[in-house]
Structures are given as structure tokens and as C-alpha cells.
Amino acid sequence: MTVQCNALKPYDVQAAESHQDFALDVLLGLSRSPKALPSKYFYDAEGNRLFQKIMDLPEYYLTECEFEIFQNHKDRIGELIGSDRFNLVELGAGDGQKTRVLIDHFLGKGLDFRYIPIDICEEALTELLQELQGYSPPLRIEGLVSEYFVGLKWLSNQIHDKNVVLFLGSNIGNFSHSEARVFLYSLWNALNDEDYVLIGFDLKKDIHRLTVAYNDSQGITAAFNLNLLRRINRELGGNFDLDQFRYYSAYNVYSGAVESFLISLREQTVYVETLNQSFSFEAWEPVHTEHSHKYLVSDIAELAEETGYEIIEQSYDSRGYFVDSLWQVRKNREM
Ligand code: AVJ
């Protein structure tokens, strides 16, 4: 696969397919029982704007934790990963605000790298690329608009390069533990021996703290979820009445995840033009929208071990809420 981009316009790897994928996933998700929609579709331009607001919420502690970790541990992280030239690949970069702490630091230390942010939201990526323009010495950047798998594909072609992959902000939390295992093993496969990955895990903690982070007082998280229905209206010609659905989320102790739903407030039928199909909802019927998994420190060790990495360093925030875990790929040897 050839991927070309210029600095200001991210290369859109998926544009043509993604509209069809969305239609198909909505059809599948609203036809099954219980109903569910994949959380990756939160991130259209509006969804991304709402997610940026979530990151600024006092209740959503994750962002400030990772900021603090990067501020306090950037020296150490830089020392561990940087000597030779490397590719700094970020999966799900979003607006890249936290990453900029690392990028600024790495540039300041004279590390030799190019930055490859990958994200499904074109608007977020374009904004990020524009912000990173002004650097001197200039930062080498290639932005890709895509889901994670293109990142894996891109990486598997860099057979002679050293790679450092960032997977931050608890993005991994949207995977179940078995999905995370498959994903990390696929990543391992695409990487070279001794490459690094830096993964942000949100840790298990006081359940009230978890619950409140996904039930903010300003209702931004609710709007973020409801935007998924608005996106169906906009892009697929749906006629969802957003007032007839209510956001609900709760921490499930068994699954170890905050689980989010949109609940139909009454019996209703919704028509989606592109699909030429109606979907009926019973009163109080839930549509699952997201799980955000929380980790034990022991889960992280197990996950690294199972998928072929060695844990090099765990960096925590001062409250012990969050950890950025630096792993190194181990190949061609007995572990
Ligand atoms: C971007 C997946 C890390 O699960 O915490 C924030 C998304 N959902 N509030 C998360 C989200 C509701 C977020 N991740």
C-alpha cells in the first residue's frame, strides 16, 4: 500500500468505504437484540468537538492524569525510547493535545523522529496538522485518516525502521479484554523486535469516581452519545427524535467497564432512508453505545506477557488513577 500525504491535508485512506461501513453497522446494530451501535462512530466532526469538551470536564479525570504523567515522566520516556531515528505513530490521535507534551520534549532534546498521527476524524487530524506546522526545526508529519488497522498495515511495511507506537487516553478501554489481546498481538505482528508501544490504561478505582466521569453535570457526555443518533439522521437520512432517547451509563463490576446506553423513552419506530428500513423500539429498550474498560495493574502485566511484550516502565499520576505503560516488542527469543 502506498500512503502519501502532505503536511496540511491528511491522507484519507477510507473515505469511500466508511459511509457504507457506517450504514451496514447501523443496520446490523439496530437489527440485533439487544441493540448496539459501535462507539467508533461517535467521532464525526460534531462528536469530536463534544469529546474535546469532555476532556476539559472536571469529572473526566483521565485527560489531566495523562497530562500530569507526561509532564513528570517525559524525560524518562524520552531517554528510554530515543537514540536512533524512529517513527512516532499515534493510533487514535484525536486533537493530540497530550501528545504535544511529548513531541515538544522530544524535539527539544533533538530526537530524530517523524510523527504519524492516525485518526478516524478528518477534522481533528487537519486541526492537529495545522497546529504542528509552526515548529522549528520543522516536525516531519504524515497524517492518516483511518481506523487502527491502516496503522497496523503502515507499520508492517516499515520493516527496517524503529517504531514507537502511542495508544493513549485509555482508547484501549473500548476493547474488551479479548479484543485487546487480539489487537495487541496484531500490533506485535506488525512491529519489529525492540520497537516500543506506550499505552494509556485507566485503572480501577473508587466506583463513584468512575461513574461520575461518564455522567457529567453539564450533560456533555449525554450529548456526545445522542450525537450518534443525530449522525444517523444526518448521514443516513434517519428520523430519530433525540428527545425520545435518554443517555444512561453505569459501571459493571463483572465486566470491569463503564457501559453506556441510549434508552428509548417510549414505544417508537424510526425510519432510516439509506437503509430503506424501519426499526422499532419498545418503551425502555436500551441501545448499547460504548464500553470503557478499567484495568488492574495485574491485568496489564498479563496482557503484555500474553501478547509478546516486555514491560519496561509504568508511569503513574500522583493519585494512582491512570498509568502509561511502556512496552517493548520481544521477538526471536524465548521469554
Ligand atoms: C476516548 C474511549 C478513552 O471511554 O473514556 C468519554 C470516550 N466516552 N466519555 C472513554 C468517552 C464517554 C473515552 N475514550
Side-chain angles (χ1 to χ4, degrees):
M1 184 187 67
T2 52
V3 167
Q4 330 150 320
C5 1
N6 66 49
L8 276 174
K9 183 116 184 75
Y11 184 77
D12 197 334
V13 184
Q14 282 188 294
E17 288 153 50
S18 61
H19 185 75
Q20 277 182 30
D21 287 352
F22 183 40
L24 189 59
D25 283 337
V26 169
L27 176 61
L28 292 172
L30 296 183
S31 304
R32 52 173 284 215
S33 176
K35 293 181 170 68
L37 293 166
S39 58
K40 64 181 178 187
Y41 295 113
F42 283 152
Y43 304 93
D44 64 352
E46 173 66 5
N48 205 71
R49 200 184 59 78
L50 289 163
F51 182 61
Q52 282 175 315
K53 279 184 138 180
I54 288 174
M55 288 191 288
D56 285 338
L57 290 169
E59 294 99 333
Y60 195 72
Y61 59 85
L62 291 81
T63 313
E64 67 198 39
C65 288
E66 205 168 38
F67 254 118
E68 185 199 326
I69 291 170
F70 289 168
Q71 285 298 347
N72 293 335
H73 300 270
K74 59 191 178 191
D75 263 310
R76 182 79 186 128
I77 294 170
E79 276 167 25
L80 287 166
I81 61 175
S83 49
D84 313 330
R85 145 196 299 257
F86 62 93
N87 299 313
L88 186 67
V89 178
E90 180 163 17
L91 303 175
D95 70 357
Q97 284 310 306
K98 288 163 291 172
T99 317
R100 288 183 63 173
V101 177
L102 293 180
I103 291 176
D104 289 345
H105 179 73
F106 294 168
L107 284 175
K109 289 276 167 190
L111 300 188
D112 182 12
F113 66 100
R114 65 179 158 150
Y115 178 48
I116 297 126
I118 299 171
D119 201 89
I120 37 180
C121 181
E122 177 170 2
E123 290 80 2
L125 210 49
T126 304
E127 207 173 291
L128 174 62
L129 295 189
Q130 272 158 5
E131 280 181 30
L132 293 173
Q133 275 314 290
Y135 277 92
S136 73
L139 173 64
R140 284 173 295 147
I141 326 170
E142 296 175 30
L144 303 182
V145 179
S146 158
E147 291 180 25
Y148 301 139
F149 80 89
V150 169
L152 299 185
K153 230 174 170 178
W154 189 92
L155 281 161
S156 60
N157 289 328
Q158 315 302 309
I159 34 176
H160 300 298
D161 289 6
K162 181 173 172 191
N163 302 296
V164 176
V165 177
L166 306 175
F167 195 38
L168 306 178
S170 185
N171 281 340
I172 197 166
N174 282 160
F175 292 137
S176 69
H177 289 298
S178 59
E179 288 166 345
R181 222 179 292 130
V182 170
F183 178 77
L184 291 167
Y185 185 68
S186 312
L187 180 60
W188 180 92
N189 243 316
L191 289 169
N192 303 317
D193 192 25
E194 300 190 352
D195 280 353
Y196 288 99
V197 300
L198 182 66
I199 310 174
F201 293 94
D202 192 21
L203 297 171
K204 287 188 172 155
K205 60 180 63 61
D206 175 53
I207 291 173
H208 178 69
R209 178 80 57 199
L210 292 173
T211 311
V212 164
Y214 296 83
N215 289 281
D216 65 278
S217 57
Q218 298 172 49
I220 311 287
T221 311
F224 177 63
N225 276 256
L226 284 162
N227 179 55
L228 195 45
L229 304 184
R230 193 178 284 123
R231 182 174 183 181
I232 296 173
N233 288 350
R234 216 168 18 226
E235 294 184 22
L236 305 177
N239 68 352
F240 277 99
D241 178 352
L242 270 56
D243 290 335
Q244 297 304 330
F245 288 84
R246 182 183 298 162
Y247 170 67
Y248 175 76
S249 81
Y251 180 67
N252 179 334
V253 179
Y254 288 125
S255 66
V258 175
E259 306 200 338
S260 302
F261 304 88
L262 289 167
I263 297 180
S264 174
L265 294 181
R266 58 169 167 88
E267 189 185 331
Q268 54 185 319
T269 300
V270 174
Y271 180 69
V272 181
E273 206 183 333
T274 304
L275 302 174
N276 190 23
Q277 177 117 6
S278 294
F279 302 94
S280 44
F281 295 81
E282 287 175 59
W284 305 108
E285 182 176 348
V287 181
H288 183 269
T289 52
E290 186 176 37
H291 19 225
S292 301
H293 287 84
K294 308 302 168 189
Y295 279 78
L296 292 174
V297 175
S298 62
D299 296 331
I300 299 172
E302 219 169 86
L303 201 53
E305 159 112 33
E306 287 169 339
T307 54
Y309 302 83
E310 182 184 339
I311 297 182
I312 302 297
E313 185 114 323
Q314 306 261 59
S315 309
Y316 297 86
D317 64 295
S318 54
R319 290 179 291 186
Y321 282 178
F322 198 95
V323 63
D324 277 290
S325 193
L326 182 67
W327 298 2
Q328 191 167 31
V329 173
R330 293 288 177 241
K331 295 194 178 182
N332 319 318
R333 68 189 82 177
E334 298 295 315
M335 284 193 54

